[in-house]
Amino acid sequence: PVGHMDPPVWEKVLAINLTANWRLLRSMDPLLRRSDAGRAIFVTSGVTRGVFPFWGAYAASKAAL
């Protein structure tokens, strides 16, 4: 269930695990494009493949990544 989670907590988890990665990629985009073999590798979690009560925000942020 995710109804127990306060909206500020949900937003913070997504900001750290998803939005921060998007901002990093956006910042590095010019360098990646100039590189002959520019790559960005993001690490997700096994929590995206199971059912883990009360891990909703974390699982959603890692699945989105």
Side-chain angles (χ1 to χ4, degrees):
V2 293
H4 72 282
M5 188 169 286
D6 291 330
V9 173
W10 175 271
E11 291 168 7
K12 185 174 183 177
V13 172
L14 266 71
I16 291 169
N17 291 330
L18 182 61
T19 306
N21 286 287
W22 170 74
R23 289 178 186 267
L24 177 64
L25 183 59
R26 196 164 178 258
S27 297
M28 294 300 179
D29 187 57
L31 294 174
L32 291 168
R33 290 181 183 274
R34 275 187 250 156
S35 174
D36 291 335
R39 300 287 185 270
I41 299 171
F42 296 100
V43 178
T44 187
S45 170
V47 75
T48 64
R49 294 185 300 267
V51 177
F52 300 90
F54 304 102
W55 284 57
Y58 180 78
S61 69
K62 290 299 187 171
L65 184 60

